[in-house]
Amino acid sequence: MTASGRIRLRLVLGSGGIRPVAIVPLLEFFDAHGIAVDELVGCSGGAVVAALYAQGLSGRDVRHTVLRVLQPNFFTALDPAAARLLLEVLRGRRRPGGMLRPDRIHAACRDVFGDARLESLPRRLLLQATELDTRQGVVLRQGALSEALYASNAAYPLLPPIQIDGRWLIDGAFSAPLPLLASTEPADLTVAVSSNPSAAGDIADRLLGFAAEIDIAHASPGGEEWRGNIMLIRLPIARRVRFWDMHLIPDLLALGEQVVAEHGAKILAALTRMPAEDGGRGGRGAPLPRRQPSVRSGRTLT
């Protein structure tokens, strides 16, 4: 807890292409109940939602920005060198190029975030990326927000990597789809949202879902939905959602609203009972129940 007795809340938003758009209603829920988020950690698609909220926007403003920016023409044409790049990747060679030209992505980042820097945002933000050469995770804590956000979303070899501080960086989903271990700051409650299906979708979805389960197991030994001060929410997205399926954004937002309607009370209960259980000690907060049912919605996006 803070010196004033307020709960310290961390929000971890995992990867999933455009699926993390379904998290926006949760941000609106926090705003409606006066819940302050002290730290956001984002990876890939989750990094986009996290960055918008960390910039100081309200949940409603995040919704409007997503609907304005994520349009069907968001991705530009195939890079002329795409075929050669793909051949080199299949041969095990890596080079700083991509099959798609990222012009509109960079332009959108500059339009929305301008010259904002990670270390100067109203809400603390960490972004998960991956080093191209070593495939090791990299947690970005400072620097230009637009560059860091692109790095966290650079789905190589579809999108080219970006060089930051001498390292070529690509999508954070390659190292930590749900980056629960990215932050070393204390928090009384961590709400982590996974939008990668572990048993549905295509092979890429299933692999990312499996990797996210590994992240969960590392941060929460035993694989429980509640462990210590971590609350895990799995978005019930069963159908295939590709990152260019912008027409599904309204459906994703509606799904997020359903999840909040069914499970918002659990979040409020966790937040309101923690001060009494913690006894004012501060630190990492009191342990929450060690076994609870999965936090899932009865509705599934199919």
Side-chain angles (χ1 to χ4, degrees), residues 180-181 211-224 234:
L180 283 162
L181 301 178
E213 294 300 317
I214 294 175
D215 290 337
I216 293 165
H218 285 167
S220 176
E224 299 155 352
R234 304 173 192 267

Side-chain angles (χ1 to χ4, degrees), residues 214-255:
I214 294 175
D215 290 337
I216 293 165
H218 285 167
S220 176
E224 299 155 352
E225 301 302 327
W226 282 88
R227 183 62 182 259
N229 59 348
I230 298 174
M231 177 182 185
L232 174 64
I233 299 176
R234 304 173 192 267
L235 297 177
I237 302 173
R239 68 170 296 173
R240 183 183 185 187
V241 180
R242 298 162 299 190
F243 62 84
W244 57 83
D245 287 334
M246 306 299 182
H247 63 283
L248 294 177
I249 287 178
D251 293 337
L252 291 167
L253 291 170
L255 176 67

Side-chain angles (χ1 to χ4, degrees), residues 39-53:
E39 182 179 66
L40 293 110
V41 182
C43 176
S44 196
V48 176
V49 177
L52 289 169
Y53 199 55

